[in-house]
């Protein structure tokens, strides 16, 4: 399954989801920490420009 990375504005941290395409398309994504929906998608297609961690 594809991995989606989001940034939670409430927790101020990145959260990673492993979702099926259909789950992602439903858009019902909430932060597992705070349950909030203030999630901004991190566009992994641009990650290569900022290098990877570790
Ligand atoms: Zn959160």
């Amino acid at each position: 399954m594809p991995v989606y990375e989001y940034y939670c504005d409430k927790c101020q941290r990145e959260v990673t989801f492993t979702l099926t395409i259909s789950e992602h398309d439903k858009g019902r994504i909430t932060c597992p920490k705070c349950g909030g929906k203030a999630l901004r998608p991190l566009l992994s297609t641009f990650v290569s420009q900022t290098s990877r961690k570790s």
Side-chain angles (χ1 to χ4, degrees), residues 4-52:
Y4 298 92
E5 292 185 323
Y6 288 83
Y7 183 87
C8 179
D9 285 333
K10 285 189 177 181
C11 300
Q12 296 187 336
R13 57 172 287 167
E14 294 179 17
V15 290
T16 304
F17 297 93
T18 304
L19 302 171
T20 64
I21 298 293
S22 59
E23 283 177 328
H24 180 256
D25 285 347
K26 290 177 184 176
R28 295 178 181 175
I29 301 171
T30 56
C31 175
K33 295 291 183 181
C34 69
K37 296 181 181 177
L39 298 174
R40 288 186 282 125
L42 299 177
L43 301 180
S44 57
T45 49
F46 297 114
V47 165
S48 59
Q49 194 172 1
T50 55
S51 83
R52 65 184 69 162

